[in-house]
Amino acid sequence: MSEKKFSPAELRFLFVVTAVCLAAMAAWMVAQKCPGTAAEPLATAAVGVGSFCGGWVAAFCKKERGLICGLVQGVFYAALLCVLSIPSGAITESGAQMRFATVILCGSIGGFLGMKSREHKRRS
């Protein structure tokens, strides 16, 4: 079975999914007048959903190795979060480490489910 490579358009789509999730969550937080303390868990949820969707799309497009696709995509997002949290010094907090783990887990689950939905579609 030949392995399909990701095109630049597909990779941009993965980042757009996460960006849209973050923007939607930010707009909702402003509309609801959420306090600053609610920003951290809601932002984590938004990045987790973006990672899940990105992993699902990556596995669905690639058609194989969905768990690995989702895991790699989740690790990439976690590394990006890690780099962005270095200036604030929040990288050593347990909450930050939970966010990294959440992003990796959501990406892996998305990749696994994307692969399974693709297999289910082929069988029907």
Side-chain angles (χ1 to χ4, degrees):
M1 200 182 261
S2 67
E3 192 170 316
K4 183 182 175 195
K5 303 274 185 207
F6 286 113
S7 71
E10 289 173 332
L11 291 174
R12 281 191 298 265
F13 180 74
L14 297 177
F15 292 116
V16 167
V17 166
T18 301
V20 167
C21 288
L22 283 170
M25 187 63 76
W28 180 80
M29 287 170 48
V30 168
Q32 297 295 319
K33 296 181 178 128
C34 292
T37 57
E40 194 172 297
L42 291 175
T44 302
V47 173
V49 169
S51 181
F52 173 83
C53 292
W56 188 89
V57 168
F60 190 81
C61 291
K62 190 132 170 102
K63 302 177 185 173
E64 58 188 27
R65 297 187 186 139
L67 187 58
I68 294 172
C69 286
L71 182 66
V72 167
Q73 186 264 339
V75 167
F76 179 76
Y77 280 164
L80 187 61
L81 281 175
C82 181
V83 167
L84 292 174
S85 65
I86 288 174
S88 67
I91 195 166
T92 57
E93 295 175 3
S94 63
Q97 295 165 358
M98 287 298 286
R99 282 191 295 278
F100 303 149
T102 300
V103 170
I104 293 170
L105 180 66
C106 288
S108 299
I109 291 171
F112 180 74
L113 292 178
M115 182 186 65
K116 288 297 181 185
S117 68
R118 183 70 180 197
E119 285 178 4
H120 180 69
K121 186 176 181 181
R122 275 190 264 162
R123 289 182 188 162
S124 347

